[in-house]
Amino acid sequence: MSLTDRAYDAAGVEQASRDLLVAVGEDPTREGLADTPSRMARAWSEILSGMTEDPREHLRTQFHAGTDELVLVRDITFYSVCEHHLLPFYGRAHVGYIPRGGVVTGLSKLARVVEGYAKRPQVQERLTAQVADAINEVLHPQGVIVVIEAEHMCMSMRGVTKPGSSTVTSALRGIMNDGATRSEIMALVLGGQR
């Protein structure tokens, strides 16, 4: 059974939220918390909305641009949830590809792919690879690069408690793996960082 085969159970999330509040020593009926379980059910439905979609579908919108030059969209903001602690991680994705035969997709479609894979329980390493693989599988470009920089709340607000630390992952496909091409592309992606 895949993630998309399961239905979101809002009532179950509400009950689990009530149970969590009780388990941590709170009174879920007190003012301020009385509506929290239903708010959490609505919030988690939105936070995990990528579970019910195939982000690759966004890439099926294609057109002929007549160029095989690099297409790069930097600083795509995303929010996700670490599957190990169910705490947020968030950051920026940089997504690029070199078309084949002049076939490209809309720039917003790259952001939608990031969003679709981010809005599910994730690890950053898998998220990075999923975005790269989707572009590679659907567009059949000469090469793909995905670099993700993120801060993980499971490191910032608990455990080692190192707020502001950044984790960087990358996935390269096709000609992006060539040494000189890789260096040039990484410089474009990360060179303009603030």
Side-chain angles (χ1 to χ4, degrees), residues 27-49:
D27 174 6
T29 64
R30 78 166 169 83
E31 185 180 359
L33 288 179
D35 293 328
T36 296
S38 63
R39 284 191 295 262
M40 286 185 69
R42 289 189 306 274
W44 279 104
S45 175
E46 184 178 336
I47 290 167
L48 300 179
S49 62

Side-chain angles (χ1 to χ4, degrees), residues 6-166:
R6 297 184 185 118
Y8 183 79
D9 180 4
V13 174
E14 280 192 49
Q15 185 59 53
S17 300
R18 275 188 207 87
D19 292 346
L20 176 63
L21 289 169
V22 169
V24 299
E26 266 292 356
D27 174 6
T29 64
R30 78 166 169 83
E31 185 180 359
L33 288 179
D35 293 328
T36 296
S38 63
R39 284 191 295 262
M40 286 185 69
R42 289 189 306 274
W44 279 104
S45 175
E46 184 178 336
I47 290 167
L48 300 179
S49 62
M51 291 176 59
T52 59
E53 72 168 280
D54 180 356
R56 295 174 301 181
E57 290 304 312
H58 298 293
L59 298 170
R60 305 232 186 268
T61 301
Q62 300 173 10
F63 55 94
H64 193 272
T67 180
D68 284 347
E69 300 297 328
L70 174 67
V71 176
L72 175 63
V73 179
R74 290 185 6 173
D75 299 323
I76 301 168
T77 303
F78 73 91
Y79 298 89
S80 192
V81 176
C82 167
E83 66 184 32
H84 299 141
H85 300 97
L86 293 183
L87 291 173
F89 70 96
Y90 63 93
R92 296 172 297 150
H94 315 290
V95 179
Y97 67 98
I98 298 176
R100 183 182 307 277
V103 176
V104 298
T105 191
L107 300 176
S108 68
K109 305 309 182 198
L110 300 176
R112 289 184 188 281
V113 170
V114 171
E115 180 104 341
Y117 285 116
K119 287 197 166 196
R120 51 182 70 183
Q122 268 294 9
V123 295
Q124 184 175 333
E125 299 86 345
R126 181 187 318 120
L127 171 60
T128 307
Q130 285 175 325
V131 173
D133 289 341
I135 295 165
N136 201 44
E137 291 166 12
V138 178
L139 295 182
H140 307 290
Q142 296 177 63
V144 178
I145 183 171
V146 177
V147 177
I148 294 183
E149 302 172 273
E151 181 172 352
H152 294 250
M153 292 297 99
C154 57
M155 278 185 58
S156 297
M157 62 187 292
R158 60 152 302 277
V160 70
T161 59
K162 295 299 177 208
S165 61
S166 179

Side-chain angles (χ1 to χ4, degrees), residues 176-188:
M176 299 295 196
N177 280 304
D178 172 70
T181 304
R182 179 185 182 109
S183 296
E184 180 181 344
I185 296 297
M186 290 298 275
L188 281 172

